[in-house]
Amino acid sequence: MPTFAAIDIGSNSCRLAIAAVQQHKLKILQEDREVTRLGESVFDTGVISPEAMANTIRALKRFQKTTQTYVVDRVRVVATSAMRDARNSDAFRAWVKSSTGWTVDVISGLEEGRLIHLGVTTMEPGARGRCLLVDLGGGSCEVTLSDGGRIKQMVSLPLGAVRLQQEFLMQNDPPSKDDVARLRKFIERELRRGERKLGLPKVATVIATSGTASALAEASVALSEGTRVARAAKKSVSKKTTRSGPMLEADTASVRMIADKLLKLNNAERASMPGIGPKRSEIIMGGAQVYAMLLERLQLKGFRYSPLGLRDGVLEQMLADVDTRASAHRTMEAERWEGVLEVCKRYGIDPKKAGPECQHVEQLFDQLIHVHELPAEYRLWLRAAAMMQEVGKFMNHQGHHRHTQYIIANSEIFGFSPEQRAIVAAIARYLGKSRPEAEDRPMRSVPVEEHVHVQRSVVLLRLAQALNQDRATAAMKLRINVFAKRVLLELEPPRGRADLEVWALKKEAPYFREVFRRELFVEVA
């Protein structure tokens, strides 16, 4: 079974997790973390500093040696808030590519939250019920309302620990009253925005991830039970076995007390607090205030800390991509399709009208599998393209295929990476007069090795489109016969004749022959 590696390039630190697949589940083999503070200069100047770049490259090279030691089959590298905001992120991505050969996926805040949710709900005990997930990283804070392992609402807020430190708390140590007032006003404004989407979630369980939550939970234990117990808890948390071991918890009153106390201490005094430590002490104040204000505003009793995070969600998605029997696969497929339907709703597309075309493109994919030889994931890409192919009409009916490509490629669609969105967008783009060419702008966003797959997918979707000329709700019955040098499509219309569909399919025959080197024939039963 394969071995995967997930690397999270965060605003404060880089994290590595390596896992092997055993009986359709992941077994963690190795984890590593290094503080690189990539976002420190970004939140101040808008660019990643050369020093932060060099530190991160060194960490990634060390991670690469570890992946080679474990003979990892596939590595995925994701980057979050700092890379989203930095004006020179493309230059850093190029440096990573030249140094390691890895491609960095810069994911959105909502995709970050989705992956964290996937990792926590799959691997965390008790996370499948109704709960609130909070992940406060270096640059952003993702808050997700989950029920039954499914995302109900999510919001991504610019309330990361490093960001708040750089923007509000750098001038004085400890911070002045004016510094604190500005910080709280900013947090309050962002939490109001989040509350408009989340409401007041009535949940019994709040699960918090990442370093700030860990530090607050350990400090809360020290506050209630003494320093000795806190140190013992910290030692157990650092072990990998804590993924299924005892949890650390913090109630709202303790978090508020700790958050306010931290504002009165200088860095050396904060570092000496149990649970905080010298590395976290420099950036803990803003994050602690976020947790205190969030818990109070949403009327929550407290949170429990989980050591799971973004890297675990990335690993689960990698498993889901290759193992259809994995529990994460079902979750991911459902989330992806819900994301597609959300885009359709946003742009006024009736899913029922697109249903027959989706049905036909899936049938064509399944029964022509030895003709097109497409990877299995293209079945969903084709179905998504069929469903969203008319979203461009929201902007303008004229040239709507171009608008469709732009909307799909630039929309937030749960479960689809930027590369996957580019593929789906390219498939939906070429349903008019034009055909995919390598030099086209939409195709330049698609990896070169996927160009032939996109071209073949376009042919299948054009056939499905031809089969649904009147966009009828009742799908035309289709029988497909594959021979050595030809393919025969037999149509059985639900009512009336099928002259228009036959005409449209015959128009596609020359392109079908060009791509698949087979003749296409059409008959009406």
Side-chain angles (χ1 to χ4, degrees), residues 410-445:
N410 293 280
S411 291
E412 182 69 48
I413 309 176
F414 268 4
F416 288 83
S417 68
E419 179 182 300
Q420 291 165 346
R421 291 201 309 268
I423 290 171
V424 175
I427 294 170
R429 165 65 181 88
Y430 296 102
L431 299 180
K433 295 179 181 179
S434 58
R435 303 289 187 271
E437 300 290 345
E439 63 272 14
D440 293 348
R441 183 183 295 273
M443 296 298 288
R444 291 203 296 268
S445 300

Side-chain angles (χ1 to χ4, degrees), residues 392-393 395-403:
K393 290 182 178 179
M395 298 176 68
N396 197 328
H397 278 251
Q398 186 175 0
H400 75 270
H401 298 303
R402 294 195 304 274
H403 304 317

Side-chain angles (χ1 to χ4, degrees), residues 495-508:
R495 58 181 180 273
R497 297 165 62 88
D499 295 348
L500 194 57
E501 285 77 13
V502 171
W503 169 78
L505 286 167
K506 287 183 176 179
K507 277 184 64 179
E508 298 301 327

